[in-house]
Amino acid sequence: MPDRDSLPEGPRHSGGYVLAPYSNRIADAAFEWQGDTVQLQPNFGNHPHSLHGFAWQRAWELDRQDQPSLDEQSQDQATLVLHHLSDTDWPWDCKVTQEVSLGPSRVSLTLSLENLDTRPMPAGLGWHPYFQRTPKVQLEFSAAAVWMNDARQLPTHQVTPPDEWNFSQLRPLKWPGVDNCFVGWSQRAQIYWPEYRLRLTLVASEALRHLVLFTPENQTFFALEPVTHANAALNSDRPHAQGMRTLAPGERFSCHLQLILEEDHG
C-alpha cells in the first residue's frame, strides 16, 4: 500500500470516492463503543476530526475470483476489494467490496462491508461523488430535515430545511458554504446543467437514508453524498438512531447507487 502521506490530495482530486466504514466526521477522532473509548488516528492533516473512514486513502485490488485475469476482465464491470487489518485507523478487521457496472448512459455501484473481526463492529457506508459547478447548475431533491452545524462543523440540531436549502423543486445551486447532512431525503436527486443540456439522476437504495450537500466557496465543484448515517453519528448518544449499524462477526451489509445521465431534448 502506498504511504498515505504521499497522496494527501489524490482522492480529493478525483471524481469521487468510497466512504467506509463510516462517513463524514468522528469528533476529535474518538467515540465510545460498547463501554470502551475508541481513539483513532486523525487522517486529514491538522484537522482534529477523523474523516470518511480509511477506504478513500487505501489502495484497492481487483477481485481475482470474480475476474481471474486481465484478459478476462469485462470492459463494463469490475469488482474491487479492500482487506483491512485492525490498526489505529480502525481497530477491527473488515473487508470492503465495491462492484462497478457501466452502461451506455449509467453507472451502477454496489458497496458492501463485512466484519471479519471477532467483536461486533460499528458500520456505515456511502459515496462522495463530485460534480461540476457551473454558473447555472440546478439541483433537486426533497428532505424532511437538515442538521445544523457548530463552528467545528459538528451537527447540533435538526431543522426543517430553510428556504434557501429547499430543493424539493429544481432550482439553481447558488449558496456556497453548505456542508450539511439532510435527513429523510427522497433517495432520488437530480442535477441539471442548462449549459450542456444534460441531466443526471442519482437513485439510492433504502439503506442510504442521509444525504450530505457540500458546496465549498470559490470552487468549481460541489458534492452530493448519499450515506447511511448522519455526520458524527458515532458521537451521538443514540448512534443507531442516526443510521449507524452494528455488524456481528461475519455479518455483512450492502447499499446501492445508480447515476443515470440523459440529454435534455426539450
Side-chain angles (χ1 to χ4, degrees), residues 19-230:
L19 307 176
Y22 61 89
S23 77
N24 209 266
R25 293 160 176 78
I26 294 178
D28 299 311
F31 63 95
E32 300 296 320
W33 181 253
Q34 298 190 344
D36 294 324
T37 298
V38 178
Q39 180 67 59
L40 304 179
Q41 175 178 310
N43 64 348
F44 190 52
N46 294 326
H47 201 290
H49 314 308
S50 56
L51 296 178
H52 298 324
F54 57 76
W56 68 295
Q57 295 176 319
R58 302 287 178 91
W60 293 59
E61 297 180 347
L62 185 69
D63 188 343
R64 298 297 180 180
Q65 294 181 347
D66 183 61
Q67 296 163 327
S69 72
L70 291 176
D71 292 338
E72 297 177 31
Q73 283 188 57
S74 168
Q75 295 298 308
D76 58 8
Q77 59 185 2
T79 301
L80 303 173
V81 295
L82 174 55
H83 294 271
H84 172 76
L85 297 179
S86 171
D87 62 11
T88 54
D89 287 329
W90 192 249
W92 289 272
D93 296 348
C94 57
K95 176 183 175 182
V96 188
T97 303
Q98 179 171 217
E99 300 172 38
V100 182
S101 178
L102 304 178
S105 60
R106 71 179 58 205
V107 179
S108 297
L109 304 171
T110 298
L111 188 59
S112 303
L113 178 61
E114 182 178 2
N115 181 7
L116 301 180
D117 209 277
T118 58
R119 302 158 295 157
M121 181 185 83
L125 291 172
W127 282 276
H128 197 307
Y130 291 103
F131 303 101
Q132 184 179 4
R133 184 169 181 169
T134 61
K136 297 181 180 180
V137 67
Q138 300 176 25
L139 180 61
E140 179 183 8
F141 68 87
S142 62
V146 62
W147 281 98
M148 304 305 292
N149 299 328
D150 62 17
R152 302 181 71 215
Q153 285 301 102
L154 297 173
T156 56
H157 61 285
Q158 289 186 30
V159 299
T160 300
D163 289 343
E164 63 268 26
W165 294 358
N166 185 343
F167 294 98
S168 56
Q169 295 184 351
L170 197 64
R171 65 184 297 179
L173 178 65
K174 60 182 181 180
W175 292 277
V178 182
D179 190 4
N180 296 72
C181 181
F182 290 79
V183 182
W185 75 293
S186 50
Q187 296 180 274
R188 186 181 185 94
Q190 182 181 153
I191 304 169
Y192 180 52
W193 292 272
E195 298 95 330
Y196 308 129
R197 302 183 71 87
L198 287 176
R199 192 179 309 273
L200 182 70
T201 302
L202 286 75
V203 182
S205 65
E206 194 272 339
L208 297 164
R209 299 178 183 178
H210 299 76
L211 184 71
V212 177
L213 176 61
F214 176 44
T215 63
E217 298 189 34
N218 302 317
Q219 297 291 342
T220 59
F221 63 83
F222 68 99
L224 199 61
E225 310 160 39
V227 296
T228 59
H229 60 84

